[in-house]
């Protein structure tokens, strides 16, 4: 069987003695095609796991869709053949199709995207496209969001249904509802003298449609990493405090940049009563941080920042705000993938960067800007293992089906959830970053 290993390559950073820094995969199993993790026809679906990749500890909840094995011809075909077939199917579908790709997607797939962007930009694209079919080369929550923002006649397709997000899976409707009930018991439900409610729920885009709907129903809003500060400001105009889920790091980094002291941003562990807090201590809280994280970004450390600076004192360290706060503090700047892309694009020739985000994006930036020196902050290369599941074989499979008039892997949010989720998304789209 022909499998296509993830082609990974960064310019190796130089160690202080001038020797190339060693680099390797965080898990050798990444050399397998993603179908190695998907279901086998006639056999019970495998326990849904996300590894290997950023963290073997990432386990998808049982409700996660399982991708059945795609036909053998797509698994066996060499990438060059798949590329020809994808290009032919795209040409055939013409303007009836738009392919959206997240920055973290592998190059073999991104080359076919009509638009590449961060999760905010891709959501905006979904609001403007008139194509019949949106094929989303990203992860499940992004496809759900696109479905919410397109018309019912348009279909949104995720080439591999098992491309989820381990961070998004760290918060679900049951645990957020249980948290909310406990917060109501502590804070009550009445607005204060200035009309501010006790808590405003804010969900990161990296969450299920059900949680976006929860926010829509409870006076809350969605944010992405490119508008988190503006969204928190929106929330503080309406509430005394914010419940921020599922990424503690984005919440802490954003709150901290807005001047909220760390003592007023307690962690909420959904497995513990009152999230592991004393009721008294919660009274003073301004941002309640859900105990969730991204396994890709949580790997970055201050030791890596120190090593990058030791190797090149002029290096600019730019990281994503899903990184831990101490890493964001040690970096020169932090921002969304869109921000990182802009900083690199606008840099003077010769600038050297150490970037703390997903490797496919870092590697692409390095290839696009040969006049700059660009390396990943983490010498052990870890892609987002869920984005990795979108292989050209899956893309060819769904596109050729569309040519035949068959819509495979459609992602469709239930009507009951969609209306409320749209309310929260619409609030976000109206906030100026
Ligand atoms: P942005 O695309 O919003 O920067 O987020 C990065 C990410 O982790 C997407 O899952
Ligand atoms: Fe989720 Fe992290 Fe992958 Fe983004 S990079 S999709 S947050 S696991």
């Amino acid at each position: 069987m022909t499998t296509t290993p993830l082609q990974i390559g960064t310019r190796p950073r130089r160690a202080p003695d001038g020797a190339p820094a060693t680099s390797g995969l965080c898990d050798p199993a990444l050399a397998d095609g993603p179908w190695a993790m998907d279901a086998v026809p006639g056999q019970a679906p495998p326990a849904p796991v996300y590894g290997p990749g950023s963290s073997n500890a990432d386990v998808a909840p049982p409700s996660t869709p399982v991708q059945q094995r795609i036909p053998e011809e797509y698994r066996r075909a060499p990438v060059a053949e798949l590329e020809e077939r994808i290009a032919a199917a795209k040409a055939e579908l013409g303007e009836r199709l738009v392919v959206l790709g997240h920055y973290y997607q592998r190059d073999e797939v991104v080359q076919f995207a009509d638009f590449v962007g961060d999760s905010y930009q891709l959501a905006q694209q979904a609001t403007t496209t008139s194509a019949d079919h949106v094929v989303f080369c990203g992860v499940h929550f992004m496809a759900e969001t696109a479905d919410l923002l397109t018309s019912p006649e348009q279909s949104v397709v995720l080439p591999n249904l098992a491309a989820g997000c381990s961070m998004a899976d760290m918060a679900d409707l049951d645990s957020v509802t249980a948290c909310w009930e406990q917060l109501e018991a502590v804070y009550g439900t009445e607005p204060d003298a200035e009309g501010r409610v006790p808590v405003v729920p804010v969900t990161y885009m990296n969450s299920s449609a059900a949680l976006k709907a929860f926010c829509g129903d409870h006076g809350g809003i969605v944010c992405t990493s490119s508008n988190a500060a503006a969204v928190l400001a929106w929330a503080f105009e309406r509430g005394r405090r914010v419940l921020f889920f599922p990424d503690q790091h984005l919440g802490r980094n954003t709150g901290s940049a807005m001047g909220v002291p760390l003592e007023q941003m307690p962690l909420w562990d959904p497995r513990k009563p009152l999230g592991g807090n004393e009721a008294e201590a919660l009274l003073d809280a301004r941002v309640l941080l859900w105990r969730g994280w991204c396994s890709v970004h949580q790997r970055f450390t201050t030791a890596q920042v120190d090593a990058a600076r030791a190797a090149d004192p002029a290096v600019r360290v730019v990281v994503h705000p899903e990184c831990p706060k101490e890493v964001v503090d040690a970096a020169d700047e932090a921002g969304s993938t869109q921000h990182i892309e802009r900083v690199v694009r606008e840099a003077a020739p010769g600038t050297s960067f150490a970037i703390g985000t997903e490797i496919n994006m870092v590697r692409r930036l390095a290839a696009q800007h040969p006049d700059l020196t660009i390396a990943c902050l983490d010498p052990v290369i870890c892609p987002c293992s869920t984005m990795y599941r979108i292989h050209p074989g899956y893309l060819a499979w769904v596109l050729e089906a569309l040519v035949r008039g068959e819509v495979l892997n459609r992602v469709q949010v239930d009507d009951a959830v969609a209306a409320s989720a749209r309310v929260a998304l619409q609030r976000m789209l109206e906030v100026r970053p």
Side-chain angles (χ1 to χ4, degrees), residues 102 104 118-119 141-142 204 206 224-225 297 320 322 336-337:
H102 190 270
Y104 295 167
D118 72 354
S119 52
F141 71 81
M142 297 179 188
Y204 190 20
N206 301 33
T224 72
S225 54
H297 291 96
H320 195 278
E322 288 175 13
S336 70
T337 47

Side-chain angles (χ1 to χ4, degrees), residues 110-389:
V110 153
Q111 63 177 320
F112 296 108
D114 298 301
F115 190 86
V116 182
D118 72 354
S119 52
Y120 182 76
Q121 293 170 304
L122 294 175
Q124 280 181 319
Q125 282 297 312
T127 62
T128 56
T129 183
S130 56
D132 297 342
H133 308 291
V134 177
V135 171
F136 212 118
C137 297
V139 292
H140 194 266
F141 71 81
M142 297 179 188
E144 273 192 337
T145 302
D147 179 57
L148 292 167
L149 297 174
T150 48
S151 73
E153 294 74 37
Q154 293 173 294
S155 66
V156 176
V157 168
L158 183 64
N160 183 338
L161 285 178
C165 164
S166 52
M167 176 212 282
D169 288 334
M170 291 177 188
D172 62 17
L173 186 59
D174 284 350
S175 49
V176 169
T177 304
C179 164
W180 192 254
E181 286 166 3
Q182 293 175 74
L183 294 180
E184 282 187 340
V186 174
Y187 300 129
T189 55
E190 291 307 310
D192 64 12
E194 287 148 47
R196 291 177 308 165
V197 296
V199 193
V200 175
V202 177
T203 190
Y204 190 20
M205 183 73 102
N206 301 33
S207 60
S208 67
L211 290 185
K212 293 181 176 79
F214 178 93
C215 289
D217 288 342
H218 293 83
I221 187 166
V222 180
C223 79
T224 72
S225 54
S226 56
N227 62 17
V231 166
L232 277 197
W234 179 97
F236 283 133
E237 277 169 24
R238 290 156 178 82
R240 296 179 61 194
R241 52 185 78 74
V242 163
L243 170 63
F244 192 94
F245 47 88
D247 186 22
Q248 59 174 294
H249 299 297
L250 179 64
R252 187 178 294 110
N253 288 323
T254 311
S256 184
M258 294 172 76
V260 181
L262 284 180
E263 322 70 87
Q264 291 188 318
M265 293 193 281
L267 199 60
W268 184 278
D269 184 339
R271 292 164 306 175
K272 297 182 179 166
L274 284 182
N277 300 283
E278 298 296 328
E280 191 73 10
L282 287 177
L283 292 177
D284 202 30
R286 296 271 289 142
V287 183
L288 295 138
L289 301 168
W290 195 262
R291 189 174 174 274
W293 63 88
C294 165
S295 298
V296 174
H297 291 96
Q298 191 157 276
R299 287 177 53 87
F300 294 105
T301 63
T302 53
Q304 293 164 355
V305 177
D306 293 345
R309 294 201 195 286
D312 179 0
V315 75
R316 271 175 83 180
V317 180
V318 187
V319 302
H320 195 278
E322 288 175 13
C323 293
K325 181 174 180 299
E326 62 274 16
V327 175
V328 168
D329 290 348
D332 295 301
E333 55 191 298
S336 70
T337 47
Q338 180 190 5
H339 176 85
I340 295 171
E341 192 275 336
R342 194 178 58 240
V343 165
V344 169
R345 185 166 27 86
E346 292 174 354
T351 308
S352 175
F353 285 101
I355 299 183
T357 197
E358 206 269 353
I359 189 64
N360 280 291
M361 177 173 180
V362 178
R363 186 173 53 119
R364 189 173 311 117
L365 287 173
Q368 286 168 346
H369 299 278
D371 54 330
L372 308 175
T373 301
I374 298 176
C376 184
L377 195 53
D378 185 352
V380 177
I381 295 165
C382 252
C384 169
S385 61
T386 47
M387 292 264 180
Y388 165 75
R389 289 189 157 200

Side-chain angles (χ1 to χ4, degrees), residues 399-421:
L399 290 184
E400 290 188 344
L402 288 178
V403 170
R404 294 193 302 273
E406 214 183 318
V407 181
L408 299 171
N409 282 12
R410 183 167 183 178
V411 173
Q412 228 171 346
V413 179
D414 266 14
D415 285 349
V417 171
S420 302

